[in-house]
Amino acid sequence: MEFLGLRDLTAGKKIIAENFANWTSGNEIIDNFIKEKQLKYGGSISRDKEAVFEWIPYNEFIDIKEIGKNCFATAIWKEDTKVYILVYNEYFNYYCEKCDNKYDDSYYKWCKECQINQLKNNFTNWTSGNIKLDDFIQKMQLKIYKYNILFEWIPYNEFIIIEGLENYTLAIWKKGPLYCNTNDKKLVRKSHEKVYLKYLYNSQEITAEFSNEVESHLKNDVIFGISQNPDTKVYVLVFDNKYFNYYCEKCDNKYDN
């Protein structure tokens, strides 16, 4: 049902109400639900056509094809194909095609729940060799705040050391950081990424203070993960160069402003 160029909402709602007797779903509860939605018709000041929510007999659909595992299907609506396509496209701009939950970031079509499930399934594919550290890393991974950075265990031999700085070591990470590819919802790597290594000479235990520090860096989108020098057993935090947007490169204190 459409209104062509209709600007008077009162008149539009009157036409809708007068049409109630011309259709039924066969279920009074559903009929009342549809009527309630129809009477909330808001018109449009930016388009010539405004679609109205309505009951659609199933036999009006042809070429029905199921997609994914979330009870959705594509179809051709014989009476008006354009309306169906419009609704379908807009829905998946906001809702995940895999789980049907609303995207946490609709611009990048990022679903946090789906990514968490993917990370959980990947837990058995890596280990730091330390159960407590593995548990800590897994905990940090499940606290993801954005689609584009993931905290992980990084074997030390993946780094090519370039030079030592005052508080950090500049290196190239051969495999590169892990990202969520929002196009196909897969974890991918950006190889040969420049990173900064911070050696934790005075911290061999995972304390609450250490955990809070890592979580803070995750929120700022500046940390890639943790590693360990196999010779000295010193743990190493691995940072993106965006770290220095928040912390002083000379003294490592957080900027006052």
Side-chain angles (χ1 to χ4, degrees):
M1 186 188 298
E2 293 178 344
F3 297 105
L4 305 180
L6 188 60
R7 294 293 182 266
D8 188 338
L9 296 184
T10 302
K13 291 179 180 180
K14 182 180 179 181
I15 294 172
I16 290 173
E18 290 174 349
N19 191 54
F20 283 167
N22 297 329
W23 63 267
T24 180
S25 68
N27 183 305
E28 185 178 355
I29 295 176
I30 292 178
D31 285 356
N32 290 335
F33 170 77
I34 294 172
K35 290 173 183 178
E36 180 183 349
K37 294 296 180 184
Q38 287 187 342
L39 292 177
K40 289 182 179 179
Y41 166 74
S44 174
I45 60 173
S46 61
R47 292 184 292 175
D48 290 333
K49 295 183 179 182
E50 177 70 12
V52 177
F53 187 80
E54 61 180 309
W55 170 255
I56 307 168
Y58 192 76
N59 60 12
E60 290 188 11
F61 299 117
I62 60 174
D63 195 23
I64 300 172
K65 297 177 182 178
E66 292 187 6
I67 57 173
K69 299 179 180 179
N70 53 9
C71 302
F72 278 92
T74 60
I76 299 298
W77 184 0
K78 290 184 289 186
E79 184 171 323
D80 192 337
T81 305
K82 292 181 180 178
V83 174
Y84 174 76
I85 293 175
L86 175 63
V87 173
Y88 171 81
N89 286 342
E90 286 187 356
Y91 185 87
F92 287 112
N93 283 338
Y94 300 97
Y95 291 86
C96 177
E97 191 171 335
K98 286 188 176 181
C99 69
D100 201 31
N101 288 334
K102 193 170 184 178
Y103 284 127
D104 296 270
D105 188 328
S106 59
Y107 182 82
Y108 290 103
K109 295 185 178 180
W110 176 60
C111 175
K112 182 176 180 178
E113 182 175 333
C114 283
Q115 186 166 339
I116 284 177
N117 289 335
Q118 191 174 8
L119 290 168
K120 286 180 178 179
N121 292 335
N122 193 50
F123 282 168
T124 57
N125 295 328
W126 61 267
T127 180
S128 67
N130 181 312
I131 295 177
K132 288 185 178 180
L133 184 57
D134 285 355
D135 289 342
F136 170 75
I137 294 171
Q138 290 173 9
K139 179 182 176 182
M140 290 297 107
Q141 285 190 341
L142 299 184
K143 287 187 175 184
I144 51 178
Y145 296 95
K146 298 179 182 179
Y147 80 95
N148 62 334
I149 191 167
L150 297 171
F151 188 81
E152 60 179 314
W153 168 254
I154 308 168
Y156 194 75
N157 60 10
E158 290 186 11
F159 299 118
I160 301 173
I161 304 300
I162 297 178
E163 64 174 317
L165 306 175
E166 189 168 350
N167 293 293
Y168 298 87
T169 296
L170 179 62
I172 296 295
W173 181 2
K174 289 182 285 187
K175 279 190 176 180
L178 201 58
Y179 295 94
C180 175
N181 185 326
T182 54
N183 292 324
D184 56 15
K185 306 297 186 295
K186 292 182 179 179
L187 299 176
V188 296
R189 292 192 180 277
K190 184 179 178 182
S191 61
H192 293 87
E193 183 85 347
K194 183 171 71 173
V195 295
Y196 291 87
L197 310 180
K198 180 181 180 180
Y199 291 84
L200 307 176
Y201 294 107
N202 300 317
S203 180
Q204 296 301 311
E205 296 293 332
I206 299 172
T207 62
E209 182 180 1
F210 175 76
S211 179
N212 291 336
E213 179 186 355
V214 170
E215 190 168 349
S216 173
H217 295 322
L218 280 171
K219 289 180 179 179
N220 289 330
D221 196 19
V222 297
I223 191 169
F224 289 131
I226 188 169
S227 185
Q228 185 183 42
N229 185 319
D231 298 323
T232 64
K233 306 302 180 184
V234 173
Y235 287 113
V236 184
L237 291 180
V238 183
F239 290 99
D240 185 1
N241 59 9
K242 288 185 292 185
Y243 176 83
F244 296 114
N245 291 340
Y246 302 93
Y247 292 85
C248 178
E249 190 171 345
K250 289 186 176 181
C251 67
D252 198 35
N253 289 331
K254 193 170 185 178
Y255 286 127
D256 298 292
N257 189 352

